[in-house]
């Protein structure tokens, strides 16, 4: 059990016996989403770091094209940093622990205080916290950051503070967030771990909502050294970083210079890595993972390959259908299209059996629906029985299965054709037409390496009479189109959710988010039942209630066929040049990767340099 200071606050009014109010308050050095904290208050450092790791050296990674380095706003295209935990423009109040599924410890905030109904949360700001221009981080900075998130951030981050009524200074170094109504621990956990703190004295002179590439005032372990739009970002370790000796930072942030080079295509990124121009490459193409690393560098051990399973919540990968388009407006049409994708053939011939099919939006966790609904889950679904597909109540959701045979595929295509006919589509000269409009699908892809995955699907759509085509574009075109919903279908992923979902899921599937630019609800889902169940998830008072609401929501989303489920990303395939020292103990809840605990090993570095020079 972590050491917590718990006390009962009694508010009483003199001479008015009977007006006694008691409230259970917790003050702690950290917060766990559920369960107990692993690390006591006397934490020295995380178990998965080397506290004596040397500092120095350089690492080169890849990023996507960008014209903006502020990821908290709607405008502009920020670089995708993949797993680069070392890259950030702002710190949060508390730091995540990768040894636990959902726990965090004090960073900018020394302590966190909250009541048992989670109606408010108070953070104590560390006296030592500083911006890299030497000025202190203040309560006023936190309040100003709240105003930025509320008024000028993208929908995802605006949603983070949506339920807050007011933020107030309660002391020289304490700030209190008051919620409109009592919530759950998830709300304050997300605030502690995702809410960015910005320097008011810098941003008050700037236009926060406008894209920027200006080197800014930060409080982070790494600060921007150079920003060359479309080419490179250079970051340097701040030797005067205020928090370098905090327990949550000991043994981390060991590499002096981080160079991030822009690559617009994963095939080119792969070639850059194999050629020694990049130090690390996360592989997403199973066929290349199986066949593309039979090289001298791998044989001699200069390139290391590692495959790890990820625990807990994971990426949801699927083919997204843009619900804003008329051809995808009804459930029958969307269901028909799922029968045209041959997962079993793709798994065997393209993915080499490396992935697991996605049959839940909460895959890899206990939140996923199981069997038929019963108990509290059934109670939640029952009021909507007449509006839901009857199968919601009678079976688990089964993605269409071809069993890997041509006969199975033909059977699925016949089912698809029947569903399309029921949905009002008629065949006219071999083309499907409804309400005078020809059924056409523009399937937008970013990576040419994905073509073998989706080309057979497009051919199957054409067999059904749909005018389908693959539109492969580069990242400078892809992301603006994706964020403005200028597509019919895309291969997309949904960020890993919390193990105790809360208000953030309004952004994933809520009707209001469907109309917001750059929303996580990319498919434009607008469903009042989904909205109701989202609120049930958010309002759940017990773990049992949370599980029931998530599983009910999962079923309704799945049986509406808003996407064609592919797989969940619970496996990381990592290749890296063996230049680094790696801690002996790896975190339980994070993949093996050079986020911020590795260091440059001088002997290994020299050996790799000699080999690269001989290539």
């Amino acid at each position: 059990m972590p050491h917590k200071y718990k006390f009962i606050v009694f508010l009483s009014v003199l001479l008015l016996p009977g007006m006694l109010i008691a409230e259970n308050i917790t003050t702690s050095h950290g917060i766990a989403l559920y369960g107990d904290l692993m690390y006591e208050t006397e934490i020295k450092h995380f178990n998965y770091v080397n506290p004596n790791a040397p500092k120095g050296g350089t690492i080169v990674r890849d990023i996507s094209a960008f014209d903006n380095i502020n990821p908290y706003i709607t405008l502009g295209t920020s670089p995708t940093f993949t797993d680069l935990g070392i890259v950030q423009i702002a710190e949060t109040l508390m730091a995540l622990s990768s040894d636990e599924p959902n726990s965090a410890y004090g960073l900018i905030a020394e302590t966190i205080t909250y009541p048992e109904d989670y109606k408010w949360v108070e953070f104590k700001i560390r006296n030592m916290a500083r911006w890299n221009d030497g000025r202190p981080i203040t309560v006023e900075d936190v309040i100003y950051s709240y105003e930025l998130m509320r008024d000028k951030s993208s929908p995802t981050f605006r949603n983070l503070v949506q339920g807050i009524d007011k933020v107030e200074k309660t002391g020289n170094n304490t700030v209190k967030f008051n919620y409109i109504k009592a919530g759950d621990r998830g709300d304050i956990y997300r605030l502690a771990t995702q809410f960015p703190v910005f320097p008011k004295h810098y941003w008050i002179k700037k236009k926060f909502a406008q894209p920027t590439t200006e080197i800014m005032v930060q409080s982070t372990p790494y600060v921007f050294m150079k920003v060359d739009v479309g080419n490179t970002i250079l970051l340097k370790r701040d030797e005067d970083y205020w928090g370098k000796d905090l327990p949550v930072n000991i043994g981390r942030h060991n590499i002096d210079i981080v160079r991030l080079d822009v690559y617009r295509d994963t095939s080119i990124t792969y070639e850059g890595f194999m050629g020694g121009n990049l130090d690390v490459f996360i592989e997403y193409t199973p066929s290349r993972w199986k066949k593309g690393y039979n090289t001298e560098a791998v044989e001699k051990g200069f390139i290391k390959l590692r495959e790890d399973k990820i625990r807990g919540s994971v990426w949801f990968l699927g083919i997204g259908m843009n619900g804003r388009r008329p051809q995808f407006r009804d459930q029958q049409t969307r269901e028909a299209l799922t029968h045209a994708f041959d997962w079993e053939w793709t798994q065997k011939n393209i993915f080499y059996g490396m992935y697991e099919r996605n049959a839940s939006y909460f895959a890899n966790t206990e939140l996923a629906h199981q069997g038929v609904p019963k108990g509290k889950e059934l109670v939640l679904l029952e009021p909507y029985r007449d509006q839901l597909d009857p199968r919601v109540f009678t079976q688990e959701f089964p993605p269409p299965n071809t069993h890997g045979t041509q006969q199975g595929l033909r059977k699925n295509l016949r089912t698809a054709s029947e569903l399309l006919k029921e949905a009002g589509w008629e065949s006219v000269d071999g083309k499907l037409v409804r309400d005078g409009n020809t059924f056409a699908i523009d399937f937008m892809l970013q990576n040419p390496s994905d073509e073998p995955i989706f080309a057979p699907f497009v051919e199957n759509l054409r067999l059904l009479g749909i005018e389908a085509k693959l539109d492969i574009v580069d990242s400078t075109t892809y992301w603006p189109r994706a964020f403005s919903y200028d597509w019919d279908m895309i291969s997309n992923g949904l960020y890993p959710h919390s193990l105790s979902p809360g208000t953030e899921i309004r952004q994933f599937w809520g009707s209001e988010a469907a109309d917001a630019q750059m929303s996580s609800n990319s498919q434009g889902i607008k469903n009042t039942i989904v909205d109701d169940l989202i609120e049930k998830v958010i309002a759940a008072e017990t773990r049992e209630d949370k599980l029931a609401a998530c599983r009910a929501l999962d079923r309704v989303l799945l049986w509406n066929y808003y996407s064609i489920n592919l797989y969940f990303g619970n496996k990381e395939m990592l290749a890296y040049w063996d230049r680094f020292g790696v801690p002996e103990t790896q975190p339980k809840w994070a993949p093996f990767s050079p986020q911020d605990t590795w260091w440059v090993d001088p002997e290994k570095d020299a050996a790799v340099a000699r080999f690269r020079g001989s290539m």
Side-chain angles (χ1 to χ4, degrees):
M1 283 286 290
H3 180 61
K4 293 183 179 179
Y5 305 99
K6 287 194 175 182
F7 52 92
I8 304 295
V9 176
F10 293 101
L11 302 177
S12 60
V13 179
L14 189 63
L15 301 179
L16 291 179
M19 292 193 65
L20 178 66
I21 303 172
E23 189 174 20
N24 196 353
I25 308 291
T26 297
T27 293
S28 178
H29 66 297
I31 181 171
L33 197 52
Y34 55 88
D36 297 323
L37 290 169
M38 174 179 173
Y39 293 96
E40 304 288 347
T41 51
E42 57 269 21
I43 172 178
K44 294 181 179 179
H45 56 75
F46 290 133
N47 292 339
Y48 53 86
V49 305
N50 173 5
N52 301 311
K55 308 294 184 182
T58 299
I59 186 171
V60 184
R61 301 292 307 268
D62 63 290
I63 53 171
S64 63
F66 67 94
D67 58 17
N68 169 47
I69 58 172
N70 181 358
Y72 298 99
I73 62 173
T74 300
L75 299 178
T77 301
S78 300
T80 302
F81 293 127
T82 59
D83 70 323
L84 295 173
I86 52 180
V87 181
Q88 52 188 340
I89 70 166
E91 286 189 299
T92 51
L93 293 161
M94 309 197 87
L96 292 169
S97 163
S98 295
D99 249 0
E100 303 160 82
N102 286 99
S103 292
Y105 299 85
L107 184 58
I108 290 177
E110 183 176 355
T111 61
I112 181 173
T113 300
Y114 51 88
E116 62 183 348
D117 66 355
Y118 310 110
K119 185 71 164 54
W120 54 265
V121 58
E122 185 177 71
F123 297 97
K124 180 182 179 182
I125 307 304
R126 294 185 191 272
N127 290 327
M128 64 184 294
R130 292 286 184 275
W131 302 108
N132 68 338
D133 63 0
R135 297 178 64 162
I137 299 176
T138 66
V139 168
E140 285 74 19
D141 290 321
V142 177
I143 295 173
Y144 180 71
S145 300
Y146 159 73
E147 293 169 352
L148 289 178
M149 291 299 98
R150 181 193 62 194
D151 301 332
K152 298 183 179 181
S153 70
S154 67
T156 298
F157 292 98
R158 190 159 56 246
N159 186 71
L160 187 65
V161 299
Q162 189 175 31
I164 294 171
D165 181 31
K166 64 177 180 178
V167 182
E168 57 185 329
K169 183 175 182 177
T170 52
N172 288 334
N173 61 350
T174 54
V175 58
K176 186 177 183 180
F177 293 78
N178 297 279
Y179 286 88
I180 297 171
K181 59 182 180 180
D184 65 12
R185 186 180 294 232
D187 292 330
I188 63 174
Y189 175 83
R190 280 179 287 278
L191 193 69
T193 59
Q194 297 178 27
F195 175 77
V197 180
F198 296 100
K200 180 178 180 179
H201 66 278
Y202 173 83
W203 283 105
I204 201 167
K205 303 172 186 176
K206 308 291 181 180
K207 295 181 178 179
F208 183 83
Q210 294 299 312
T212 182
T213 56
E214 182 178 304
I215 292 175
M216 57 192 67
V217 175
Q218 299 171 262
S219 70
T220 51
Y222 286 87
V223 293
F224 288 95
M225 182 178 174
K226 178 183 178 182
V227 179
D228 181 4
V229 174
N231 295 302
T232 299
I233 292 177
L234 286 179
L235 300 134
K236 64 178 179 179
R237 183 174 61 84
D238 184 357
E239 294 185 1
D240 297 321
Y241 168 52
W242 72 272
K244 61 184 177 181
D245 295 323
L246 291 178
V248 295
N249 286 325
I250 295 293
R252 301 171 62 202
H253 319 122
N254 303 314
I255 299 173
D256 277 352
I257 302 294
V258 179
R259 179 186 176 102
L260 307 170
D261 290 337
V262 171
Y263 284 81
R264 293 176 172 82
D265 178 271
T266 56
S267 297
I268 299 173
T269 310
Y270 163 78
E271 295 295 340
F273 168 76
M274 298 302 291
N277 296 316
L278 292 169
D279 290 318
V280 182
F281 182 63
I282 299 177
E283 182 62 81
Y284 294 102
T285 306
S287 59
R288 190 163 58 207
W289 185 246
K290 292 291 186 182
K291 300 178 179 180
Y293 293 88
N294 299 322
T295 66
E296 183 184 8
V298 175
E299 291 172 3
K300 292 185 174 181
F302 292 108
I303 289 179
K304 299 290 187 184
L305 306 178
R306 184 170 175 122
E307 194 174 301
D308 284 287
K309 275 205 168 186
I310 300 172
R311 299 174 64 186
S313 58
V314 290
W315 279 86
F316 175 99
L317 281 301
I319 300 174
M321 291 177 265
N322 191 346
R324 303 165 189 83
R325 299 284 205 254
Q327 63 266 45
F328 304 119
R329 71 189 180 197
D330 60 281
Q331 184 261 3
Q332 282 181 309
T333 296
R334 296 192 299 267
E335 180 177 355
L337 300 182
T338 68
H339 287 271
F341 188 85
D342 190 344
W343 163 258
E344 287 69 32
W345 181 91
T346 306
Q347 167 77 324
K348 178 182 178 180
N349 295 283
I350 305 298
F351 295 152
Y352 292 84
M354 294 185 66
Y355 293 130
E356 296 180 52
R357 186 78 189 268
N358 220 336
S360 169
Y361 282 89
F362 300 105
N364 218 42
T365 75
E366 64 177 348
L367 304 173
H369 77 286
Q370 304 169 15
V372 297
K374 55 187 177 182
K376 289 187 175 183
E377 182 186 355
L378 181 59
V379 171
L380 289 174
L381 291 168
E382 194 63 50
Y384 312 108
R385 182 179 284 271
D386 293 342
Q387 304 170 62
L388 293 173
D389 189 306
R391 293 171 292 182
V392 168
F393 297 90
T394 60
Q395 63 185 93
E396 278 190 19
F397 176 78
N401 192 327
T402 67
H403 303 287
T405 67
Q406 281 297 309
Q407 181 180 1
L409 176 60
R410 286 194 293 270
K411 180 180 178 182
N412 278 12
L413 291 177
R414 284 196 297 271
T415 300
S417 184
E418 292 167 2
L419 286 167
L420 290 167
K421 186 175 181 180
E422 291 174 12
W425 295 98
E426 297 179 347
S427 180
V428 179
D429 298 327
K431 303 294 182 183
L432 289 183
V433 178
R434 184 172 69 182
D435 300 331
N437 297 309
T438 301
F439 198 164
I441 295 176
D442 182 355
F443 192 152
M444 185 175 70
L445 285 177
Q446 181 184 3
N447 296 316
S449 60
D450 286 340
E451 185 173 2
I453 301 172
F454 300 110
F457 171 58
V458 169
E459 288 302 316
N460 291 340
L461 293 176
R462 290 171 179 165
L463 290 174
L464 293 171
I466 298 169
E467 291 187 353
K469 68 172 183 175
L470 277 180
D471 187 7
I472 302 174
V473 300
D474 63 23
S475 60
T476 56
T477 301
Y478 180 87
W479 290 112
R481 284 186 60 186
F483 289 146
S484 61
Y485 313 123
D486 182 20
W487 47 270
D488 296 331
M489 274 187 174
I490 57 173
S491 171
N492 67 342
L494 188 64
Y495 285 109
H497 53 80
S498 162
L499 292 179
S500 185
T503 55
E504 79 282 1
I505 63 174
R506 291 182 182 132
Q507 275 296 307
F508 294 169
W509 307 298
S511 296
E512 187 174 342
D515 296 323
Q517 191 175 10
M518 292 183 67
S519 163
S520 297
N521 185 355
S522 59
Q523 285 131 268
I525 297 170
K526 286 188 175 183
N527 184 317
T528 56
I529 300 175
V530 169
D531 291 337
D532 288 350
L533 291 174
I534 286 173
E535 296 309 310
K536 298 293 185 184
V537 172
I538 294 169
E541 295 182 356
T542 68
R543 186 65 184 167
E544 185 182 7
D545 291 340
K546 184 76 74 174
L547 291 175
C550 286
R551 291 170 179 174
L553 174 62
D554 191 27
R555 292 182 199 274
V556 173
L557 289 169
L558 289 165
W559 285 104
N560 271 283
Y561 292 93
Y562 291 119
S563 67
I564 300 173
N565 297 16
L566 297 181
Y567 58 93
F568 54 90
N570 70 332
K571 186 177 292 185
E572 181 182 80
M573 299 172 287
L574 182 76
Y576 64 96
W577 286 91
D578 191 22
R579 301 176 50 237
F580 306 98
V582 180
E584 291 183 8
T585 301
Q586 291 300 305
K588 298 176 183 177
W589 291 87
F592 180 88
S593 62
Q595 289 192 29
D596 56 10
T597 62
W598 292 16
W599 62 91
V600 174
D601 182 301
E603 292 185 7
K604 290 182 175 182
D605 188 29
V608 167
R610 287 193 296 271
F611 178 80
R612 285 175 171 176
S614 68
M615 289 170 58

